[in-house]
Amino acid sequence: RRRLSGGNLIISSLDRQQDVGLYQCMAYNTVGGILSRRASLQFAYLDHFKVHTRSAVSVREGQGVVLLCGTPTSSGDLTYAWVFNEYPYFVQQDSRRFVSQQTGNLYIAKVEPSDVGNYTCVVMNSITKGKVHSSPTSLILRTDGVMGEYEPKIEVNFPDNVPAAKGSTVTLECFALGNPVPEITWKRANGVPFPSKVKMKYSKAVLEIPSFQQDDTGGYECVAENKMGKNMAAGRLAFYAKPQWIQTMKDMALAIEERLYWECRANGKPKPSYMWLKNGQQLLSEDRVHVEDGVLSVSALTLSDAGMYQCVAENKHGIIYFAAELMVLGRMAFICPLSLQIIVCKPQAYPVASILWKKGNLPVHTNDRITLSPDGTLRLANVSKSDAGSYTCFARNRFGMSSTTGRLLVTGETVVGPVDMEIIVGESIVLPCQVASDPVLDVSFSWAFNGQLIVKGDGHFELVGGVTGDLMIRNIQLYHAGKYICVVDTDVESLSAVAVLIVKGPPSPPDSVTVEEVTDSTAQLTWSSGRDNGSPITNYLIQTRTPFTVGWQRVNTVPEIISGNTLTATVVDLNAWVEYEFRVLAKNSVGVGEPSPVSVKTRTEDAVPDAAPGDVGGGGGSRSELVITWEPVPEELQNGESFGYIIAFRAFGEVSWTHVATSAPGASRYVYRNESIAPFSPFHVKVGTYNSKGQGPFSPMVTIYSAEIEPSGMPAGVWARSVSASEIEVNWQALSFTPERVLGYEVAYWEDDTKPETMGKVRVPGNQTSVTVSGLAGTTQYFLTVSAFNTAGTGPFLPTINVTTKKPPPAQPPLNVEWNLIGSQLSLSWEPVVAMESESEVTGYQLSYRRQRHKEVNTLTTTNSTAELTLSEDDDDYIIHIQTLSEGGLGPASDPIRIHQQSKHTAVHVSASSSPLTHFLLRIAVTGWS
């Protein structure tokens, strides 16, 4: 059943008994071998409850009771809930009832008559999602009296010592029986107030500490109190942490007979112990090998000591490994070529070689200008022409000897080159390079960047010096950071100047974002840092998105501000049972960098709903119906599978509620039908939620009314009259009494029964007994009727009445308007309008006028075809319209007459007309007058 595929171990047909345990992978090659970290294989399972009838539990009213769950054998985290009588009616936890997630038992602090019924324990495995139900336990009341009051008795407590891992979520439970129902309070033994991250749930029976840190350790006390007394439980939270490396070793290449010294250090709580492995086998102190407390030393190395070594740090909460390679060298020396400018000899020789210098055939000895260093460096102070010549470096060890020769030229050239600099991404810079040399020498300049010659054609680099070798770098990018060498070539030598350019930019994206320790509202993230790009990372930002968000959003974290040397944080205030993606951004003094790759999608754990439906209301509907409506809970707040609603309602005066459940998560309406419901009866209504984890909260209680019956009475005294060609006024008498509610009145009107498209309706409130129907056709007979209405519909109506609208007003607007302005006095006249046979007779005219820069409109009526107005003294222009008045209403307006401000001072007589010919004659008249 077990086979290897590459480095993977594949186990088929898993067996709970045979395959459980710890596994390690061994990787090896010709150099050596190393062990992987340990992998633990465990099996999550949940067996069924034993099928048997549970005995009834008999208690007095007022007494406390504990109903035992009797959890079946299992492995993996479990969650508990209790069903009351039948699914989905879960026991709703409050100050009186509590379901322990530690024991699985149901605790009722003080039994009330409403608690009588059957109780079923529901256990779910958080890993397998398997769910089992116990047999029901009946809770009945004894008939021999009521329990008296007594002091609290704490039934749910936490251990004396609770170990808690760094960054984990710690949950403490405390619940007491008592009469009256005890009140739970929490405090720390040291008196320090709880930080804001601490949550208290289920009427303070549960204390939750997310992202546990060293500061959270210490004593915790739970106090249960009622008027009969109080009781206290106490325990201590102890901090532990898995080992983490703070010092590790590096690969080493040492010569034979040298000494190896490696030290590794890890922090953790409790303090880790150490072990050393060579090629996967444990090392013990012997002969040349000394192992003690994270230190490995080997004296007088031999070739057999080469291999792979691992330092192992372990405490009872975890184990970590770190590997390094030891190479043991012994070979013939060879010498690096001698530089013409710097006289350096650094042989790679194992064992270390002895060094000898010669100039020509003469040995070089140390004096006041010449220094010979053990590492092979020859230093010349106050160099002069006499120092020029051929220099040879000899290196010797027991494997042999090697040499190298080079020539030293001494000239007078000096180079003024670039200096080390820091610059921000996107800026431009000039690196200088100039030489003071003998003018007879030909000089050429070239530049190298990180060992590569800079050639023409690169868009960022440009030689701008002309006779000098200055280099401009435009729009610098991060990859332009590094070593720049200006090389000056002359006839006799080559000189150079070096500068290191540091390019600062926003940090590179963080990497390896991993989600760990997910709860229903938190997720712990870890990540690895990207490059800081020349400026230390000051802090990190975390963003998330879900199927319910638009784009990426910032999230709350613990710690609230994530410093640049922190690579883990706990995201808080998440919604339960929602699929989240996370990404991390780094920030430094330059700015915020690009986001990290997106984490794998992670769903938070499910939880009992904590959101109630909103906007609960209802009413209306058909006879014998109670219509209940609500705003559905959004999917992201449903907290788990099998989400639904519990609708509770009761008539005014009743004590018990009627409960109805619907399993449609998007439902927003429920209709209860019963012939016994009286019309327009008040009901108390509330709507709650539930899911597979249990029952959530109910909405606040509201009052709604059952469906009502349409009014049975008819309005009396209905009459109507035509107001104009487009309006009819309708009047009636209000209903003096009707057993049904009257919300208002409805007026229906139409031309005749053969034209249903002309039907119109107007509704008014119940305190109104008249309405003007507008938008009608002129000279047309309309039929009308009036009825009362409410939410059930309209009542009966009287036989129809009919009214004929008046003739329409004249279609011709006033023409040939003339005006004359003297000072502020304006005189107007126009040609009288004569109505046609099918139009209403003209009874007068209406002038509408306003100032150009004002919205207020004034009106003036006259029975003649002339009018006078007194205008204000300011310089604003006036706009005037003239319309006919008639029984049919207002006729069309004349063209606008504009009175310009300069006219007030010139007293010019002008006339306006819609006739082009009249306008032409008017212009002649004005010219003649001038």
Side-chain angles (χ1 to χ4, degrees):
R1 296 183 302 111
R2 299 185 176 98
R3 64 185 176 91
L4 282 173
S5 174
N8 300 324
L9 172 63
I10 300 173
I11 306 176
S12 57
S13 304
L14 281 170
D15 182 272
R16 186 198 299 180
Q17 304 301 326
Q18 294 186 48
D19 297 323
V20 67
L22 296 174
Y23 293 78
Q24 278 183 287
C25 173
M26 178 77 174
Y28 57 90
N29 61 14
T30 56
V31 173
I34 57 173
L35 276 176
S36 72
R37 65 184 178 91
R38 294 174 184 171
S40 174
L41 177 58
Q42 299 178 352
F43 291 82
Y45 63 91
L46 176 61
D47 291 340
H48 288 280
F49 281 94
K50 293 181 180 179
V51 180
H52 69 276
T53 302
R54 298 194 174 194
S55 301
V57 177
S58 176
V59 295
R60 290 189 178 95
E61 181 181 347
Q63 185 178 352
V65 70
V66 180
L67 300 183
L68 304 180
C69 181
T71 307
T73 56
S74 63
S75 175
D77 293 336
L78 303 180
T79 58
Y80 299 89
W82 283 76
V83 171
F84 180 50
N85 288 332
E86 61 181 15
Y87 185 86
Y89 302 114
F90 289 91
V91 173
Q92 190 168 4
Q93 300 185 67
D94 51 27
S95 61
R96 199 171 59 83
R97 294 168 292 189
F98 178 65
V99 177
S100 170
Q101 296 303 311
Q102 304 296 329
T103 66
N105 300 334
L106 169 62
Y107 302 82
I108 303 178
K110 173 189 170 188
V111 173
E112 297 180 353
S114 60
D115 295 323
V116 172
N118 293 323
Y119 290 84
T120 302
C121 181
V122 182
V123 186
M124 188 173 80
N125 191 305
S126 301
I127 299 173
T128 66
K129 303 303 181 184
K131 186 187 300 181
V132 293
H133 296 71
S134 72
S135 301
T137 300
S138 296
L139 180 66
I140 58 178
L141 287 184
R142 293 172 56 172
T143 58
D144 56 352
V146 177
M147 184 72 175
E149 296 180 338
Y150 63 97
E151 68 178 11
K153 179 186 178 185
I154 294 180
E155 286 285 348
V156 182
N157 194 6
F158 48 98
D160 293 337
N161 193 45
V162 180
K166 178 182 179 181
S168 65
T169 297
V170 179
T171 301
L172 302 180
E173 293 185 342
C174 182
F175 191 78
L177 311 183
N179 186 0
V181 174
E183 180 181 353
I184 304 294
T185 56
W186 293 84
K187 64 179 180 179
R188 296 186 66 171
N190 59 11
V192 176
F194 291 121
S196 59
K197 70 177 181 178
V198 172
K199 299 178 183 178
M200 296 185 189
K201 299 180 177 180
Y202 306 118
S203 301
K204 299 184 180 179
V206 174
L207 179 75
E208 184 178 278
I209 308 172
S211 187
F212 189 81
Q213 303 296 323
Q214 184 84 46
D215 294 344
D216 299 318
T217 58
Y220 285 75
E221 297 176 358
C222 158
V223 178
E225 185 174 8
N226 62 14
K227 68 179 183 179
M228 301 302 295
K230 65 180 179 180
N231 208 334
M232 186 187 78
R236 185 171 187 82
L237 291 183
F239 178 86
Y240 78 80
K242 301 175 183 178
Q244 284 187 316
W245 292 120
I246 56 177
Q247 179 182 342
T248 55
M249 63 280 194
K250 296 180 180 179
D251 294 340
M252 296 286 285
L254 298 175
I256 57 174
E257 299 181 1
E258 287 192 310
R259 177 174 177 261
L260 168 69
Y261 182 88
W262 265 332
E263 182 177 5
C264 62
R265 286 280 177 264
N267 57 18
K269 191 163 183 180
K271 184 179 178 181
S273 61
Y274 298 92
M275 177 175 64
W276 287 87
L277 305 176
K278 179 189 176 185
N279 296 329
Q281 301 297 317
Q282 184 175 357
L283 280 175
L284 300 175
S285 294
E286 60 177 15
D287 298 334
R288 299 175 298 107
V289 179
H290 180 71
V291 177
E292 183 180 2
D293 197 25
V295 174
L296 170 64
S297 64
V298 182
S299 59
L301 287 171
T302 66
L303 292 175
S304 64
D305 291 322
M308 295 300 301
Y309 289 77
Q310 286 177 280
C311 180
V312 184
E314 180 178 14
N315 65 15
K316 64 180 181 180
H317 302 293
I319 182 170
I320 53 176
Y321 295 75
F322 194 88
E325 179 187 359
L326 171 63
M327 291 190 296
V328 180
L329 306 173
R331 62 179 185 232
M332 176 66 182
F334 69 95
I335 305 299
C336 297
L338 184 66
S339 166
L340 292 182
Q341 284 85 17
I342 303 170
I343 309 180
V344 176
C345 182
K346 290 186 177 180
Q348 292 185 356
Y350 309 100
V352 176
S354 59
I355 305 296
L356 172 67
W357 282 93
K358 285 187 177 182
K359 179 184 178 187
N361 294 321
L362 298 176
V364 177
H365 298 289
T366 301
N367 59 29
D368 57 346
R369 288 197 313 112
I370 300 174
T371 304
L372 294 174
S373 300
D375 65 357
T377 302
L378 171 61
R379 290 184 174 84
L380 296 175
N382 300 320
V383 176
S384 64
K385 293 281 187 179
S386 63
D387 293 317
S390 175
Y391 287 79
T392 302
C393 173
F394 297 88
R396 180 194 300 272
N397 66 11
R398 65 180 178 173
F399 292 99
M401 185 180 74
S402 182
S403 66
T404 183
T405 301
R407 185 166 184 79
L408 175 64
L409 298 178
V410 181
T411 66
E413 285 75 29
T414 58
V415 175
V416 178
V419 295
D420 295 349
M421 299 185 68
E422 293 182 354
I423 192 169
I424 303 297
V425 163
E427 295 182 355
S428 298
I429 192 174
V430 174
L431 300 180
C433 184
Q434 302 172 17
V435 64
S437 65
D438 192 324
V440 301
L441 298 176
D442 290 332
V443 178
S444 64
F445 298 91
S446 60
W447 283 84
F449 167 49
N450 287 341
Q452 298 294 320
L453 190 65
I454 297 175
V455 297
K456 294 182 179 179
D458 188 310
H460 292 278
F461 297 114
E462 181 183 353
L463 287 172
V464 296
V467 296
T468 64
D470 296 350
L471 174 69
M472 171 175 275
I473 312 174
R474 303 180 189 275
N475 188 22
I476 281 183
Q477 301 301 304
L478 289 171
Y479 60 81
H480 288 132
K483 182 185 290 186
Y484 287 82
I485 301 177
C486 172
V487 180
V488 183
D489 289 306
T490 69
D491 296 336
V492 297
E493 64 179 332
S494 180
L495 305 175
S496 65
V498 180
V500 175
L501 186 62
I502 297 175
V503 181
K504 292 185 175 182
S508 296
D511 199 8
S512 305
V513 179
T514 305
V515 184
E516 302 172 348
E517 298 187 33
V518 177
T519 70
D520 59 353
S521 63
T522 66
Q524 185 165 353
L525 301 187
T526 60
W527 59 90
S528 59
S529 61
R531 297 186 307 275
D532 63 11
N533 293 333
S535 177
I537 296 172
T538 56
N539 61 287
Y540 289 97
L541 310 173
I542 297 180
Q543 297 176 334
T544 185
R545 71 179 175 189
T546 73
F548 313 106
T549 58
V550 179
W552 291 91
Q553 297 181 351
R554 182 87 175 267
V555 290
N556 295 327
T557 60
V558 174
E560 185 175 351
I561 298 176
I562 307 168
S563 64
N565 55 8
T566 301
L567 299 177
T568 181
T570 299
V571 181
V572 297
D573 301 330
L574 301 178
N575 293 327
W577 201 244
V578 172
E579 204 169 58
Y580 283 90
E581 292 177 293
F582 299 95
R583 68 182 188 183
V584 182
L585 300 89
K587 181 181 181 182
N588 63 12
S589 60
V590 180
V592 178
E594 292 295 314
S596 69
V598 180
S599 70
V600 296
K601 292 183 178 179
T602 303
R603 186 182 290 276
T604 49
E605 292 184 350
D606 53 352
V608 174
D610 52 14
D615 197 23
V616 176
S622 302
R623 183 176 299 190
S624 302
E625 286 184 348
L626 177 66
V627 179
I628 303 170
T629 61
W630 62 90
E631 181 71 28
V633 174
E635 185 178 347
E636 63 267 30
L637 300 180
Q638 293 175 4
N639 287 10
E641 296 178 303
S642 305
F643 182 84
Y645 300 96
I646 300 174
I647 301 99
F649 55 90
R650 66 184 181 191
F652 261 36
E654 292 186 1
V655 176
S656 61
W657 294 84
T658 298
H659 293 85
V660 179
T662 173
S663 59
S668 61
R669 187 173 186 268
Y670 173 75
V671 179
Y672 173 67
R673 296 180 179 85
N674 193 315
E675 295 297 330
S676 64
I677 299 179
F680 207 62
S681 299
F683 280 80
H684 286 149
V685 173
K686 58 183 180 180
V687 182
T689 54
Y690 72 90
N691 62 18
S692 59
K693 291 287 286 185
Q695 184 176 319
F698 274 92
S699 67
M701 186 180 69
V702 298
T703 301
I704 66 172
Y705 289 82
S706 61
E708 55 188 338
I709 302 174
E710 60 270 10
S712 58
M714 295 183 294
V718 179
W719 63 277
R721 67 183 184 91
S722 174
V723 178
S724 68
S726 60
E727 296 175 321
I728 293 175
E729 181 186 317
V730 186
N731 296 268
W732 61 89
Q733 295 176 5
L735 286 172
S736 56
F737 172 78
T738 179
E740 301 81 22
R741 188 172 64 136
V742 174
L743 284 180
Y745 298 93
E746 179 180 278
V747 176
Y749 58 92
W750 64 95
E751 289 185 23
D752 61 54
D753 294 336
T754 64
K755 296 181 178 180
E757 70 277 4
T758 63
M759 167 72 78
K761 293 180 180 179
V762 179
R763 283 190 168 186
V764 296
N767 59 357
Q768 193 169 322
T769 57
S770 67
V771 69
T772 298
V773 180
S774 57
L776 306 177
T779 322
T780 303
Q781 185 182 52
Y782 283 89
F783 297 88
L784 305 102
T785 185
V786 183
S787 58
F789 73 87
N790 58 23
T791 59
T794 55
F797 48 83
L798 289 170
T800 59
I801 61 173
N802 61 77
V803 178
T804 301
T805 54
K806 299 183 181 297
K807 293 180 181 180
Q812 176 69 46
L815 301 175
N816 299 329
V817 180
E818 298 183 358
W819 57 268
N820 188 15
L821 180 62
I822 302 176
S824 61
Q825 199 67 28
L826 176 67
S827 300
L828 299 104
S829 62
W830 56 90
E831 185 178 301
V833 176
V834 179
M836 301 179 67
E837 181 64 29
S838 59
E839 299 173 338
S840 295
E841 291 294 330
V842 176
T843 59
Y845 300 89
Q846 176 177 292
L847 279 75
S848 302
Y849 58 96
R850 67 175 179 84
R851 283 184 282 181
Q852 176 99 19
R853 294 192 292 268
H854 293 71
K855 294 182 179 179
E856 181 184 359
V857 178
N858 299 297
T859 60
L860 171 71
T861 59
T862 175
T863 56
N864 302 315
S865 58
T866 60
E868 291 191 354
L869 292 174
T870 301
L871 307 184
S872 62
E873 293 297 331
D874 60 21
D875 291 337
D876 203 358
D877 293 351
Y878 274 79
I879 300 174
I880 302 173
H881 294 87
I882 304 174
Q883 296 169 273
T884 57
L885 291 172
S886 70
E887 277 192 338
L890 284 171
S894 64
D895 291 340
I897 302 118
R898 295 183 180 272
I899 311 297
H900 298 293
Q901 55 185 347
Q902 60 266 31
S903 304
K904 301 176 186 177
H905 308 292
T906 57
V908 178
H909 174 272
V910 184
S911 65
S913 170
S914 60
S915 167
L917 177 58
T918 308
H919 187 54
F920 178 71
L921 295 174
L922 171 64
R923 291 179 64 186
I924 295 174
V926 172
T927 303
W929 181 81
S930 298

